[in-house]
């Protein structure tokens, strides 16, 4: 059975977004400060990596195993990311890392749009 075009776009755009997130985490400033110890920085990095891997698994479940619920989890994660991004921009303004997050959120939103429209309708099992 061939994968519908919109499902393929969903998968590609979500993987691009997660790759961008991984690159963003890899290049974060890891300089310890009095507020942020080296152990806290390491823990945060490991948690971010774990979350990215979980999201990759959810994309795979949705696209390749035709599961419906991971799309809704990914949609909820997108909503939380947009709220977090809005708070970050409100506090610090637009910076390089927030610009990357905007692009990542846009890719995710576009991918999720494709998963709910066109020939993707009916692809996912309940």
């Amino acid at each position: 059975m061939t994968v519908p075009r919109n499902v393929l776009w969903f998968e590609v755009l979500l993987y691009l977004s997660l790759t961008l997130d991984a690159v963003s985490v890899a290049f974060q400033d890891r300089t310890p400060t009095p507020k942020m110890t080296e152990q806290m920085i390491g823990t945060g990095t490991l948690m971010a990596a774990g979350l990215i891997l979980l999201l990759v698994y959810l994309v795979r479940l949705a696209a390749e195993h035709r599961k419906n619920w991971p799309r809704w989890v990914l949609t909820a994660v997108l909503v939380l990311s947009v709220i977090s991004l809005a708070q970050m921009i409100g506090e610090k303004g637009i910076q390089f890392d927030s610009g990357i997050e905007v692009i990542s959120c846009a890719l995710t939103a576009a991918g999720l749009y494709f998963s709910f429209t066109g020939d993707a309708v009916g692809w996912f099992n309940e």
Side-chain angles (χ1 to χ4, degrees):
M1 178 174 231
T2 61
V3 177
R5 191 176 60 94
N6 278 18
V7 174
L8 184 62
W9 274 111
F10 158 74
E11 195 173 16
V12 167
L13 291 171
L14 268 288
Y15 285 144
L16 280 173
S17 171
L18 292 171
T19 301
L20 192 59
D21 290 341
V23 169
S24 176
V25 168
F27 288 106
Q28 280 180 342
D29 182 19
R30 291 191 178 79
T31 307
T33 63
K35 286 185 175 181
M36 189 67 84
T37 66
E38 195 170 316
Q39 185 177 5
M40 290 168 66
I41 293 169
T43 302
T45 303
L46 284 175
M47 287 177 63
L51 180 62
I52 290 169
L53 289 174
L54 175 66
L55 295 174
V56 165
Y57 178 66
L58 290 176
V59 171
R60 184 169 182 258
L61 272 179
E64 296 177 18
H65 296 281
R66 302 178 68 175
K67 300 293 182 187
N68 187 38
W69 64 267
R71 290 188 307 161
W72 292 104
V73 172
L74 291 165
T75 302
V77 169
L78 174 63
V79 169
L80 293 174
S81 294
V82 168
I83 292 169
S84 172
L85 179 61
Q87 289 175 342
M88 184 170 59
I89 291 174
E91 289 176 10
K92 299 178 182 177
I94 296 283
Q95 295 180 338
F96 184 71
D97 58 342
S98 60
I100 291 173
E101 285 300 314
V102 167
I103 294 168
S104 176
C105 285
L107 288 171
T108 301
L112 285 168
Y113 170 78
F114 279 115
S115 78
F116 286 99
T117 60
D119 58 0
V121 175
W123 172 259
F124 300 97
N125 300 326
E126 293 299 322

